[in-house]
């Protein structure tokens, strides 16, 4: 039993390796990097990640050209079979342009590139991606985009809301997104797109934990990390993607349990 994932790579992707590391360290599984011109995906995938970046230089519209890459036809087929797919930032844009998700991502209403930590509310925890979060939990990730403003017509927005497709909302809307939408899924629930980056918040040492506790001293944070080498960041749960048993086994294997047990035995002795 092994967690298997694929991360797509387009010309201009710059978060593909971040996503690979995030999935590997979150699940302990195997990750294949799949070039955009490939016409087949690896078999037996639990998760497909469409990463952030500037595919094709963001020409025409962000994600428009990448949506026509040969590999995306296979991603659409896989999604139709029920394989879980997550698109992050530029990946969200590509999923919308591919028709896997409704709406579109337009220029931020500030007309500026936004790069900062961002607080999100988990709007729907009954999904394959968010079942690890308690209802209504607030999480911190990072935002880095110029075209993150989610738009859709009134009928589409009503359908999205009525179907419970909104997965994350901004606590403070940074870009004008309709209904504060930061992430949403398809009606089947196996395709998720989001602008904030879970790949930059999958371990606490990346800052996810510190943003929630800004007064924590770096020395104490370093000590916490040594005592708990498997401490999760807010983004990790998203990469487990409906395969908790596979991920849990790999996660336990990755942690240095011998180190933890020896400390406990020494303490009791």
């Amino acid at each position: 039993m092994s967690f298997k994932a694929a991360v797509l790579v387009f010309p201009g992707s710059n978060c593909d390796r971040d996503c690979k590391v995030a999935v590997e360290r979150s699940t302990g599984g195997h990750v294949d990097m799949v070039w955009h011109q490939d016409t087949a995906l690896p078999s037996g995938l639990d998760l497909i990640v469409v990463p952030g970046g500037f595919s094709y230089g963001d020409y025409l519209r962000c994600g428009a050209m990448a949506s026509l890459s040969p590999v995306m036809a296979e991603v659409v087929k896989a999604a139709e079979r029920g394989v879980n797919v997550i698109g992050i930032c530029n990946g969200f844009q590509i999923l919308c342009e591919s028709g896997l998700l409704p709406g579109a991502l337009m220029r931020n209403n500030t007309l500026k590139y936004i790069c900062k930590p961002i607080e999100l509310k988990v709007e729907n925890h009954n999904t394959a991606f968010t079942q690890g979060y308690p209802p209504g939990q607030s999480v911190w990730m990072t935002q880095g985009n110029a075209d993150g403003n989610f738009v859709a017509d009134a009928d589409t927005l009503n359908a999205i809301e009525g179907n419970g497709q909104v997965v994350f909302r901004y606590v403070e809307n940074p870009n004008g997104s309709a209904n504060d939408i930061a992430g949403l899924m398809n009606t089947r629930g196996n395709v998720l797109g989001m602008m904030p980056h879970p790949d930059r918040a999958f371990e606490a040492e990346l800052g996810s934990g510190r943003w929630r506790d800004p007064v924590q001293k770096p020395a104490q944070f370093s000590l916490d990390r040594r005592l708990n080498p498997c401490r999760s960041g807010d983004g990790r749960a998203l990469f487990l993607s409906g395969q908790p048993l596979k991920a849990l086994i790999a996660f336990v294997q990755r942690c240095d349990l011998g180190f933890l047990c020896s400390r406990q035995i020494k303490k009791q002795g």
Side-chain angles (χ1 to χ4, degrees):
M1 181 182 295
S2 175
F3 191 96
K4 293 184 64 178
V7 175
L8 306 188
V9 185
F10 299 91
S13 294
N14 65 7
C15 297
D16 44 322
R17 293 187 180 183
D18 295 356
C19 289
K20 181 179 188 291
V21 172
V23 175
E24 287 175 339
R25 296 188 64 163
S26 296
T27 70
H30 175 78
V31 180
D32 285 304
M33 306 294 279
V34 180
W35 184 234
H36 74 115
Q37 290 185 330
D38 288 353
T39 56
L41 290 167
S43 61
L45 291 176
D46 298 300
L47 176 66
I48 299 169
V49 182
V50 189
F54 304 91
S55 59
Y56 289 94
D58 282 349
Y59 288 109
L60 297 183
R61 291 184 311 277
C62 296
M65 295 178 70
S67 71
L68 301 177
S69 289
V71 74
M72 287 307 301
E74 298 305 308
V75 173
V76 171
K77 293 176 184 177
E80 291 173 347
R81 294 195 303 269
V83 177
N84 290 327
V85 180
I86 180 171
I88 302 166
C89 197
N90 186 219
F92 186 8
Q93 297 161 344
I94 294 170
L95 294 181
C96 288
E97 293 288 343
S98 301
L100 286 172
L101 291 175
L105 284 305
M106 304 297 289
R107 186 59 52 92
N108 296 336
N109 64 348
T110 60
L111 302 182
K112 295 180 179 179
Y113 187 91
I114 296 172
C115 183
K116 65 178 183 178
I118 200 83
E119 185 178 11
L120 309 172
K121 179 185 177 184
V122 181
E123 191 71 17
N124 186 347
H125 72 285
N126 293 315
T127 78
F129 302 95
T130 56
Q131 60 187 336
Y133 298 112
Q137 180 175 341
S138 173
V139 297
W140 284 89
M141 298 184 196
T142 62
Q143 189 95 324
N145 62 74
D147 298 84
N149 183 358
F150 179 79
V151 299
D153 60 59
D155 289 341
T156 300
L157 282 174
N158 288 335
I160 289 171
E161 296 287 357
N163 294 331
Q165 291 174 247
V166 179
V167 179
F168 293 101
R169 292 192 202 272
Y170 296 111
V171 174
E172 295 184 6
N173 194 328
N175 51 30
S177 288
N179 296 5
D180 301 325
I181 293 173
L184 76 158
M185 62 183 181
N186 62 347
T187 54
R188 185 171 181 172
N190 68 310
V191 178
L192 170 67
M194 58 187 301
M195 290 309 297
H197 283 264
D199 48 312
R200 300 175 185 173
F202 71 93
E203 287 187 345
E205 69 178 357
L206 294 176
S208 181
R210 279 179 287 182
W211 292 329
R212 287 181 292 172
D213 184 10
V215 300
Q216 186 179 33
K217 295 181 174 57
Q220 179 61 43
F221 180 82
S222 177
L223 176 62
D224 292 343
R225 179 64 185 169
R226 290 198 301 273
L227 295 179
N228 185 3
C230 294
R231 182 180 175 187
S232 295
D234 286 343
R236 169 165 285 160
L238 290 166
F239 295 111
L240 305 185
S241 187
Q243 300 290 333
L245 180 57
K246 286 185 179 181
L248 177 61
I249 291 172
F251 184 64
V252 169
Q253 290 173 340
R254 185 175 65 81
C255 290
D256 188 358
L257 295 185
F259 167 78
L260 296 177
C261 291
S262 66
R263 290 186 64 89
Q264 186 64 24
I265 292 171
K266 183 176 180 180
K267 181 178 179 181
Q268 291 177 349

